[in-house]
Amino acid sequence: DASILATVCRSNARYDGVVPVRRALGIKGGNKCDPYFRRNYAKWQKKLGYKGRAADGIPGYSSLSALAKKAGTFRAVR
């Protein structure tokens, strides 16, 4: 769920939904949305053309959907 993932990332918490996103980004680690995750996710957002606050490393529905489509291993839900 994109909204839950965003909330988790804002609080630097653990959430099992982070695991497939980390794998899709090609990063290892557990289920924590930590600064390393956010840096890598921000790179993904920038690759998609996002700028400023839209590329802050916090997953949104659009960027998460694009990553899900690329990975083919999970799907984004609003």
Side-chain angles (χ1 to χ4, degrees):
D1 184 305
S3 62
I4 293 173
L5 188 57
T7 300
V8 167
C9 285
R10 286 187 187 99
S11 63
N12 199 33
R14 295 182 187 280
Y15 173 56
D16 287 339
V18 173
V19 174
V21 180
R22 289 181 79 100
R23 285 185 191 139
L25 291 170
I27 57 175
K28 295 181 181 181
N31 62 352
K32 191 165 185 180
C33 190
D34 54 13
Y36 183 69
F37 172 91
R38 290 192 301 277
R39 276 193 305 274
N40 281 277
Y41 201 87
K43 288 178 187 177
W44 169 249
Q45 290 168 320
K46 290 173 185 172
K47 185 175 180 178
L48 294 174
Y50 295 116
K51 296 177 182 171
R53 289 186 60 185
D56 61 0
I58 304 294
Y61 179 73
S62 296
S63 62
L64 189 60
S65 293
L67 184 60
K69 184 176 180 181
K70 176 184 176 247
T73 56
F74 68 95
R75 68 183 187 96
V77 178
R78 284 189 194 258

